[in-house]
Amino acid sequence: MINYAEILAKQPNGVLATLEGQAIKTRVFQFLFAEGNKAYFCTGSGKPVYDQLKANPTVSFCSQGEFSPVLSINGKAVFANTMELKQRAFDENPMLATIYNSPENPIFNIFYIQVEEVATFGFAEGPKVYKVSL
């Protein structure tokens, strides 16, 4: 199994894909941190992506460094709004204060992707898909 968290820590910016009805919606997102098979992110409750994740939690996050590897994690989004996770997000990503002011902000939400599959593509290795044991 590939260490997806290590790759995402080096290239945290990517594209999150969700469903809005039958349409796929993408937007730029930033990976926060990982624990086991959980990759953490955050969003505001007033954003369309929040409603999309609540309505249909099936998601995909794709990240690419300069050239290789391209990495995609796929699974279900689960909201986990504990103060411990919110504080960790602020501690590890101080720029969140410019958007949400503090971890106590009621619109600030933490969610994780319960990673079920990791797909990679590298120029030397080609495509690979890893199923994750839950």
Side-chain angles (χ1 to χ4, degrees):
M1 176 63 181
I2 191 165
N3 187 339
Y4 75 88
E6 184 178 293
I7 294 170
L8 289 178
K10 292 177 185 171
Q11 53 194 53
N13 298 319
V15 176
L16 181 72
T18 61
L19 287 173
E20 184 175 64
Q22 297 297 319
I24 296 171
K25 299 291 182 177
T26 61
R27 83 273 305 140
V28 175
F29 245 73
Q30 185 176 41
F31 165 77
L32 296 174
F33 52 85
E35 291 179 351
N37 294 341
K38 298 176 182 177
Y40 287 85
F41 301 84
C42 67
T43 191
S45 57
K47 296 180 179 180
V49 68
Y50 177 84
D51 293 330
Q52 293 161 9
L53 291 169
K54 288 287 194 171
N56 186 337
T58 302
V59 296
S60 183
F61 179 75
C62 184
S63 178
Q64 177 182 356
E66 282 189 41
F67 297 105
S68 181
V70 176
L71 176 91
S72 177
I73 57 173
N74 307 292
K76 301 279 191 242
V78 177
F79 282 91
N81 284 315
T82 68
M83 190 51 62
E84 178 184 349
L85 289 172
K86 288 181 172 190
Q87 187 62 57
R88 179 176 175 186
F90 266 73
D91 291 346
E92 294 185 18
N93 299 276
M95 65 82 183
L96 288 174
T98 63
I99 302 168
Y100 298 106
N101 297 319
S102 77
E104 291 86 11
N105 187 331
I107 69 166
F108 177 60
N109 290 276
I110 297 286
F111 69 93
Y112 61 85
I113 297 175
Q114 181 67 57
V115 180
E116 298 169 2
E117 179 184 85
V118 177
T120 62
F121 178 83
F123 291 110
E125 310 84 42
K128 293 185 178 180
V129 176
Y130 306 89
K131 295 290 182 186
V132 178
S133 300
L134 299 178

